[in-house]
């Protein structure tokens, strides 16, 4: 059974002063800039570490590959490495048609595809089992958040539904529904409205796949760190987009791979935040705004990712409350 924190008293309502907002910005946003990367490409991280595999072991073996979009990004590359290490066939989809990691495995095929070009996606996704969307806006690529994080995810969702893919796992970002939070303000300014576009993409993904045979899982990482994976035992999932914290990319990749492969598909139809609980963690968890409770009452964790996923509430149960 998933471990959960007790539900706290009803949400406190305050009218924070400007000084308090400034304090929150310094305490939350500044360390994020120094130590982490929330979206691929516009803040600089260091190195790439392989994700550790900590799964329930109940996965469905298949000859059909799992597609990874954005496979040359730091998180996407870790997803490819995790899948290969577990012995699953992978189709790495990149804008250049080449993979920047180790391409020696016979289980790996690399193809050219761009999420902004719907025509190129249909042929490369055909025959795949599931897809992990790890693509993200990058200043260096010369694209826009609206083209990748919004329209790009819409393209993938529509093709996945048309082709009958089993699952779409989308790596999004924390604070997408909280643009007024210091971190949200910072990222939307630096990333040209990237969180606004990610939120639109998430909403469209849910609508497009509703009632289809294709399920979705949306993962919202906090500040991404290029450090070794800690595993689910030192990681917490949350819902409602009220709590923020940093997390190794390797743990995000491992959770995404499990969501794409686990036989029971426990994470289907869920949206959740993910952050580290390691005592040495330099950021969080902490409320995105001072009037959000910590704990939120939606925390879940476990010895395996599937165990942690089992404590999540489906989005259809959360949406009447006004959040995902």
């Amino acid at each position: 059974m998933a471990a959960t924190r007790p539900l706290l008293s009803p949400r406190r309502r305050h009218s924070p002063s400007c000084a308090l907002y400034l304090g929150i910005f310094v305490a939350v946003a500044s360390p994020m800039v120094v130590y982490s990367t929330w979206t691929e490409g516009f803040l600089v991280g260091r190195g790439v570490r392989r994700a550790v595999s900590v799964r329930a072991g109940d996965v469905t073996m298949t000859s059909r590959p799992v597609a990874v979009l954005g496979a040359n990004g730091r998180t996407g590359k870790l997803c490819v490495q995790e899948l290969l290490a577990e012995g699953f066939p992978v189709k790495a989809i990149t804008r250049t048609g080449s993979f920047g990691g180790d391409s020696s495995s016979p289980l790996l095929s690399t193809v050219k595809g761009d999420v902004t070009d719907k025509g190129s996606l249909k042929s490369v996704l055909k025959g795949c089992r599931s897809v992990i969307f790890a693509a993200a806006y990058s200043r260096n690529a010369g694209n826009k958040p609206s083209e990748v994080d919004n329209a790009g995810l819409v393209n993938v969702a529509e093709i996945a539904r048309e082709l009958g893919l089993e699952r779409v796992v989308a790596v999004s970002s924390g604070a997408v529904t909280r643009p007024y939070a210091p971190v949200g303000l910072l990222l939307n300014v630096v990333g040209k409205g990237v969180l606004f576009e990610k939120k639109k993409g998430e909403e469209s993904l849910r609508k497009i796949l509703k009632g289809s045979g294709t399920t979705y899982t949306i993962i919202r990482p906090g500040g991404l760190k290029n450090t070794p994976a800690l595993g689910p035992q030192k990681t917490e999932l949350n819902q409602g987009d009220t709590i923020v914290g940093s997390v190794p990319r390797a743990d995000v990749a491992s959770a995404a791979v499990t969501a794409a492969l686990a036989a029971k598909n426990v994470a289907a139809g869920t949206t959740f935040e993910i952050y580290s609980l390691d005592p040495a963690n330099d950021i969080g968890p902490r409320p995105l705004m001072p009037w959000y409770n910590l704990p939120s009452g939606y925390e879940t964790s476990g010895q395996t990712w599937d165990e942690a996923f089992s404590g999540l509430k489906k989005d259809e149960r959360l949406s009447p409350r006004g959040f995902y």
Side-chain angles (χ1 to χ4, degrees):
M1 175 180 288
T4 58
R5 290 186 184 179
L7 182 63
L8 219 61
S9 57
R11 185 175 295 173
R12 300 185 300 274
R13 299 185 181 277
H14 304 290
S15 297
S17 65
C18 292
L20 181 56
Y21 275 111
L22 179 60
I24 296 295
F25 180 86
V26 172
V28 177
S30 297
M32 292 291 182
V33 176
V34 175
Y35 294 111
S36 61
T37 304
W38 278 60
T39 57
E40 300 284 357
F42 62 86
L43 297 177
V44 179
R46 297 179 182 178
V48 174
R49 304 291 181 91
R50 179 189 174 278
V52 297
S53 174
V54 189
R55 260 187 236 123
D58 186 18
V59 294
T60 301
M61 300 299 291
T62 177
S63 60
R64 291 189 295 156
V66 175
V68 178
L69 290 159
N72 273 337
R74 288 186 287 272
T75 303
K77 192 175 294 183
L78 288 169
C79 289
V80 172
Q81 293 173 352
E82 173 80 359
L83 285 160
L84 292 175
E86 290 298 318
F88 292 99
V90 185
K91 183 178 284 189
I93 303 173
T94 70
R95 290 182 299 108
T96 62
S98 61
F99 179 57
D102 183 0
S103 58
S104 61
S105 173
L107 294 172
L108 175 66
S109 61
T110 304
V111 296
K112 185 176 182 179
D114 191 332
V115 298
T116 66
D117 180 4
K118 189 174 181 179
S120 74
L121 288 178
K122 187 172 182 179
S123 60
V124 299
L125 290 179
K126 188 174 182 180
C128 291
R129 171 187 177 175
S130 300
V131 57
I132 297 175
F133 184 95
Y137 152 72
S138 170
R139 289 185 300 179
N140 297 331
N143 50 39
K144 300 177 182 178
S146 59
E147 297 171 335
V148 179
D149 300 274
N150 181 4
L153 186 54
V154 169
N155 288 339
V156 172
E158 290 177 343
I159 293 173
R161 177 169 182 155
E162 180 182 346
L163 295 177
L165 271 62
E166 292 181 15
R167 308 173 195 180
V168 176
V169 179
V171 180
S172 183
S173 173
V176 292
T177 67
R178 313 297 176 186
Y180 47 79
V183 169
L185 289 169
L186 174 67
L187 293 175
N188 275 324
V189 170
V190 177
K192 299 182 179 180
V194 64
L195 295 188
F196 290 120
E197 300 303 332
K198 284 182 180 291
K199 182 175 183 292
K200 293 175 185 176
E202 286 186 9
E203 292 171 345
S204 295
L205 175 68
R206 297 186 190 98
K207 292 177 182 177
I208 292 168
L209 297 185
K210 185 176 182 180
S212 73
T214 304
T215 65
Y216 72 84
T217 302
I218 299 172
I219 302 176
R220 294 171 170 171
L224 290 164
K225 301 175 68 177
N226 299 300
T227 54
L230 298 171
Q233 303 95 331
K234 293 185 178 180
T235 305
E236 188 167 79
L237 312 182
N238 213 317
Q239 293 180 283
D241 205 17
T242 62
I243 308 300
V244 65
S246 60
V247 62
R249 290 180 186 276
D251 282 317
V252 176
S254 187
V257 167
T258 302
L261 290 175
K264 294 181 180 179
N265 201 9
V266 182
T270 65
T271 300
F272 59 88
E273 294 78 56
I274 181 172
Y275 48 79
S276 167
L277 289 179
D278 184 49
N281 185 9
D282 53 320
I283 305 172
R286 62 187 66 182
L288 271 170
M289 297 299 287
W291 53 83
Y292 293 143
N293 284 335
L294 179 67
S296 70
Y298 293 95
E299 290 84 356
T300 178
S301 58
Q303 294 300 304
T304 65
W305 292 118
D306 262 359
E307 189 175 319
F309 293 162
S310 69
L312 294 169
K313 292 179 172 57
K314 302 296 183 183
D315 285 348
E316 61 187 14
R317 293 183 58 191
L318 293 175
S319 58
R321 291 174 170 266
F323 65 77
Y324 287 103

